[in-house]
Amino acid sequence: MSDNGTAYDVAKVRADFPLIENLAKGAKPLVYLDSAASTQKPRIVVEALSDFYLKDYANIHRGVHFLSQKATDAYEKARETARRFVNAREAAECIFVRNATEGVNLVASSYAKSRLKPGANIVLTTMEHHANIVPWQMALEGTGAELRVVPIDSRGVLDVEAFGKLVDENTVIAAFSYVSNVLGTVNPVKKLTAIAHDKGAKVLVDAAQAAPHRKIDVADIGCDFLVLSGHKIYGPTGIGLLYAKREILEKMPPYQGGGDMILTVSFEKTTYKGIPDRFEAGTPHIAGAVGMAAAMDYMERIGLANIEAHEAALLSRCREKLAPIPGLKEIGTAPGKAAVFSFTLEGVHPHDIGTFLDADNIAIRAGHHCAEPLMKFLKIPGTARASFGMYNTAEEVDKLATALEKIVKFFA
Ligand code: PLP
């Protein structure tokens, strides 16, 4: 049994993460509560990377030799794993990118830019990460099209009615986060997608903060595009996924040009490969794709529903333990929120909270969390944020509470 009363064995999970295990052993064990920034890596992911480099590595697609074919097989097998992980219809709808950020940039540049004319618009929400704001602003520049922003309430709940009014027949794309990296709000992505589709708009779901915590099902959501990052789902950095529907991808021009995405090249005319190759110019992060697939396999083995339940228990303990702390205010109280706990402490700057906690070997994040428009809406410079992963324990939550009580006393 785990420490939160479910069948989930957190001690066993922790044993899979060498860094967590090793840093928890010292006189001052590390409490890692920064998984929303990036997760730690299980041994199996690191081994998948090293095994690939030590046993199977070569460049892919272009080689006729045995090793190149073996590496190509591993890369394409990783694509099939990604397909399964997000429940896409076919592997060709899964494009390997560097991260969620690159996925948004690809769609903004290749899909949206040419459709943005005076009178057209793009719809975002107040709670977006800069990765789901700036690429759209860059695409909008000089087009005469408009950016519309859906409001949220003081709890961090999206105004779905306003969404339905802001999205209209001139909306090129509505792009919104599945889970907010600051508030933990879980948006009703299926409902939002249906509303946008009713108006003829396309939908991009930013699943960077959802994929670590819950099952992603693009077939169920019905979205046109979805992005996620490998490093936030216990996989390597430098690799992510863009899911897009085949019929849309087939009509999109390439994002970048170069090797491996062409059929023929001449100085007069170049022709491109089909999907997904057309969107993966140059040598990709082959080992990264293999490592991300290992992480996806691992998460599925632990069980997405188990991870979600474990983290929900940690979040409710966190709320219970931190609520009585004088001056502490939870930022983001949407019902059913994910395991991201942002807060402020009266009279203490978020950076000071982070520094004091660090002195107690507790790693959290402090600042605007790449969500400056949201901070402006909340009228705060930033928050302190504890975020949970599958390896965190109730005891670690208690340590956070004790350390925060100390900080409050220090500043009193
Ligand atoms: N979207 C959200 C909600 C995020 O929290 C982040 C990163 O924190 C991103 C997008 C961008 O992820 P990456 O930096 O891996 O591209």
Side-chain angles (χ1 to χ4, degrees):
M1 286 297 278
S2 75
D3 60 349
N4 65 13
T6 69
Y8 184 89
D9 190 345
V10 72
K12 214 163 148 222
V13 168
R14 286 171 78 82
D16 290 339
F17 288 81
L19 186 146
I20 293 278
E21 277 275 275
N22 294 338
L23 293 182
K25 274 184 199 144
K28 240 184 169 189
L30 177 77
V31 176
Y32 188 75
L33 299 177
D34 196 19
S35 290
S38 204
T39 50
Q40 296 301 338
K41 315 305 171 198
R43 184 180 289 102
I44 209 161
V45 166
V46 180
E47 283 174 358
L49 285 168
S50 67
D51 276 359
F52 178 71
Y53 278 125
L54 295 175
K55 296 177 191 161
D56 298 330
Y57 180 73
N59 208 336
I60 55 167
H61 293 151
R62 299 162 222 187
V64 289
H65 59 81
F66 169 73
L67 206 51
S68 174
Q69 282 170 9
K70 219 171 154 194
T72 304
D73 286 349
Y75 186 70
E76 293 306 330
K77 191 167 163 240
R79 199 188 303 281
E80 172 53 27
T81 302
R83 182 208 66 73
R84 191 189 65 227
F85 191 77
V86 299
N87 196 27
R89 286 171 299 187
E90 50 175 319
E93 296 183 317
C94 296
I95 314 290
F96 287 126
V97 287
R98 279 192 301 130
N99 45 34
T101 301
E102 188 174 49
V104 180
N105 275 279
L106 194 161
V107 177
S109 165
S110 179
Y111 179 80
K113 180 91 184 162
S114 62
R115 291 171 170 81
L116 293 170
K117 311 256 152 57
N121 67 75
I122 281 181
V123 175
L124 307 178
T125 85
T126 306
M127 69 178 89
E128 297 314 310
H129 185 282
H130 296 166
N132 198 27
I133 301 174
V134 184
W136 304 115
Q137 288 175 321
M138 288 165 67
L140 281 160
E141 218 165 279
T143 65
E146 174 196 357
L147 184 66
R148 296 180 175 176
V149 183
V150 184
I152 59 172
D153 69 16
S154 57
R155 298 168 301 165
V157 175
L158 190 75
D159 186 339
V160 176
E161 212 183 303
F163 179 85
K165 287 185 185 142
L166 288 168
V167 176
D168 62 18
E169 54 288 348
N170 296 315
T171 302
V172 170
I173 199 157
F176 41 80
S177 46
Y178 195 155
V179 170
S180 157
N181 64 315
V182 177
L183 308 163
T185 305
V186 181
N187 283 316
V189 287
K190 188 174 176 177
K191 190 171 177 184
L192 298 175
T193 300
I195 294 171
H197 282 173
D198 266 357
K199 307 275 178 75
K202 296 284 185 273
V203 166
L204 179 140
V205 174
D206 173 2
Q209 294 294 347
H213 305 296
R214 50 177 44 229
K215 170 72 191 152
I216 301 296
D217 188 337
V218 293
D220 183 55
I221 300 168
C223 55
D224 303 289
F225 304 100
L226 179 137
V227 297
L228 61 83
S229 285
H231 72 96
K232 292 192 197 284
I233 56 165
Y234 308 95
T237 53
I239 187 79
L241 184 72
L242 163 66
Y243 156 81
K245 285 180 178 159
R246 170 182 276 278
E247 54 274 27
I248 301 172
L249 273 180
E250 277 179 339
K251 293 196 189 111
M252 282 164 54
Y255 171 53
Q256 293 178 327
D260 223 23
M261 49 76 77
I262 53 87
L263 280 175
T264 61
V265 176
S266 74
F267 286 116
E268 290 71 38
K269 183 174 170 60
T270 287
T271 58
Y272 308 124
K273 279 186 183 164
I275 65 166
D277 301 348
R278 186 195 306 178
F279 294 101
E280 293 180 4
T283 302
H285 189 2
I286 312 165
V290 170
M292 181 166 75
M296 288 169 166
D297 281 339
Y298 177 73
M299 285 187 78
E300 286 175 345
R301 230 175 9 260
I302 299 292
L304 274 302
N306 294 334
I307 295 169
E308 194 179 349
H310 174 69
E311 292 173 348
L314 292 175
L315 180 67
S316 52
R317 188 172 185 109
C318 183
R319 280 181 145 156
E320 185 193 311
K321 294 277 170 178
L322 269 55
I325 296 175
L328 188 140
K329 183 175 177 211
E330 181 179 355
I331 306 294
T333 52
K337 79 176 204 177
V340 172
F341 189 90
S342 273
F343 61 96
T344 53
L345 263 185
E346 209 180 315
V348 191
H349 193 280
H351 284 148
D352 291 334
I353 302 173
T355 308
F356 272 76
L357 289 177
D358 183 51
D360 263 338
N361 248 16
I362 299 175
I364 60 133
R365 189 142 294 241
H368 57 58
H369 313 293
C370 297
E372 286 191 33
L374 175 60
M375 295 301 138
K376 194 172 168 197
F377 166 77
L378 296 168
K379 297 190 178 68
I380 49 176
T383 75
R385 182 189 70 188
S387 55
F388 303 107
M390 64 164 92
Y391 32 63
N392 289 120
T393 65
E395 192 198 0
E396 290 179 320
V397 172
D398 297 352
K399 282 186 178 166
L400 172 67
T402 308
L404 286 170
E405 279 156 10
K406 245 169 61 185
I407 296 174
V408 169
K409 278 193 195 124
F410 181 86
F411 281 93

